[in-house]
Amino acid sequence: LQALELLDSGREAAFDDLVQLAAEWCGVPVAAISVIDADRQWFKACCGLDLSETPREQSFCTHAIVQPHELLQVRDTRLDPRFADNPLVTGAPHVRFYAGAPLLTSEGHALGALCVIDTQPRELSASQTHALAVLARQVGLLIELRSKRARLEQQDVDLGMADPVAGHAGLQARMQDRPQGLRQHVDQAAAGQLARAGADAGVVGHDGVDAQQ
């Protein structure tokens, strides 16, 4: 997580877009991209939630990453002994429902979760669960692409400092070889995976109702 230089970074539209999609497709008021640090849970992006971080011991997503290849769904937090006394349940934002899909790197490291939250008990449909998992994969891809872009930019800076002429030529060559933009690259990948998800499990409408129904 430290190597990715994600913690405490600024807002980025691509991440904001993904949490908005997660909230709309799952029909919930709150969605967030949460990463788990040593002693805190920090939100890279969120909608419907006026928090930037919480103590790790209060984090639902800490439980989600224990099983990194499974989605954690808590249908009613007040009935689950792990969360019934959690300050986020007993007080604001009054979490009653939680579902979190772990965010994995290409090496299989769990960084956190893409989560959706409601203030009333509920259960995601099969296609909503599938859509959340697909979006979580795209968040993981976006995080790694963001890190790779930062490394390339730093290499350009280092090369330019060592040899300004070579550095300028190298920068132009790299820019010609790169995709038109990080967000476009991720959007294209997301579109392909979401199309497959829709074919496999049914497309979820913005009202959270399966199109198949």
Side-chain angles (χ1 to χ4, degrees):
L1 183 58
Q2 298 295 333
L4 292 170
E5 298 183 347
L6 185 66
L7 285 168
D8 299 314
S9 57
R11 291 188 60 176
E12 297 176 59
F15 290 99
D16 291 341
D17 290 347
L18 289 172
V19 294
Q20 289 286 349
L21 282 174
E24 291 177 14
W25 289 356
C26 293
V28 298
V30 178
I33 294 170
S34 165
V35 293
I36 306 301
D37 198 5
D39 57 1
R40 62 173 173 152
Q41 167 183 245
W42 179 77
F43 300 114
K44 172 60 181 173
C46 60
C47 64
L49 187 65
D50 189 23
L51 290 172
S52 60
E53 62 181 65
T54 71
R56 179 166 179 161
E57 60 267 22
Q58 297 178 9
S59 169
F60 284 66
C61 295
T62 297
H63 295 269
I65 64 176
V66 172
Q67 299 291 335
H69 300 289
E70 297 180 12
L71 184 144
L72 173 65
Q73 185 167 191
V74 183
R75 295 165 181 82
D76 189 341
T77 57
R78 292 185 182 177
L79 301 180
D80 191 315
R82 294 173 297 177
F83 307 111
D85 296 327
N86 189 304
L88 302 177
V89 174
T90 59
H94 302 287
V95 177
R96 288 294 301 277
F97 166 80
Y98 169 91
L103 305 177
L104 303 179
T105 67
S106 57
E107 297 176 345
H109 300 300
L111 303 174
L114 172 63
C115 62
V116 292
I117 294 168
D118 204 345
T119 55
Q120 58 187 359
R122 61 176 297 131
E123 182 175 0
L124 297 182
S125 67
S127 56
Q128 287 173 326
T129 299
H130 195 166
L132 186 61
V134 169
L135 287 175
R137 288 197 295 272
Q138 297 312 312
V139 174
L141 173 63
L142 181 59
I143 289 171
E144 292 201 297
L145 287 175
R146 177 185 181 279
S147 177
K148 290 176 182 177
R149 182 183 65 177
R151 288 199 299 271
L152 285 172
E153 290 174 348
Q154 186 59 49
Q155 288 173 9
D156 292 338
V157 171
D158 294 343
L159 182 59
M161 292 177 64
D163 186 342
V165 176
H168 179 70
L171 173 60
Q172 287 192 325
R174 282 196 182 96
M175 292 302 293
Q176 291 175 354
D177 292 339
R178 291 178 191 173
Q180 290 300 310
L182 176 63
R183 189 173 177 189
Q184 178 182 347
H185 182 76
V186 173
D187 287 345
Q188 290 172 347
Q193 287 218 27
L194 289 174
R196 288 192 292 274
D200 292 343
V203 176
V204 181
H206 291 316
D207 58 357
V209 179
D210 294 358
Q212 291 177 343
Q213 297 173 351

